[in-house]
Amino acid sequence: MAVYSEKIADNDRKIEQLSKNIKRDTEKRKKLMEENARLSYQAICEQYNCTGQDLLASAGGDAPDKRSERCRYC
């Protein structure tokens, strides 16, 4: 019976460690995804030579006369 109790306790420790790893890795994944979103946004601004405000204005459907002169694709 003691063998089973030891094995159960060992498995419980492993489960707890895996839970901590999952939480840590999930947080790390979220940070990397946020960084990729920011980098993609910056790459688009650079590619079209415009500011973030220009991109937001074009996505919001503002009239062409309200768009920046710098952003010819927005």
Side-chain angles (χ1 to χ4, degrees):
M1 187 75 166
V3 173
Y4 296 116
S5 295
E6 289 175 23
K7 185 65 175 173
I8 290 170
D10 187 45
N11 284 346
D12 285 340
R13 282 190 294 278
K14 289 177 182 178
I15 290 168
E16 182 62 32
Q17 185 60 47
L18 288 170
S19 295
K20 289 178 184 178
N21 291 350
I22 289 169
K23 182 179 179 186
R24 181 199 67 221
D25 291 347
T26 300
E27 290 170 358
K28 188 184 294 186
R29 178 182 177 268
K30 181 181 177 189
K31 287 179 183 179
L32 289 171
M33 289 175 64
E34 289 171 354
E35 182 180 2
N36 277 353
R38 182 182 55 78
L39 292 170
S40 295
Y41 179 76
Q42 290 175 335
I44 291 169
C45 288
E46 184 178 314
Q47 178 181 356
Y48 294 113
N49 191 30
C50 61
T51 66
Q53 290 298 320
D54 296 331
L55 291 175
L56 293 173
S58 69
D62 286 346
D65 59 318
K66 292 185 180 180
R67 295 181 187 154
S68 170
E69 294 293 323
R70 293 176 47 208
C71 189
R72 59 179 199 224
Y73 296 104
C74 294

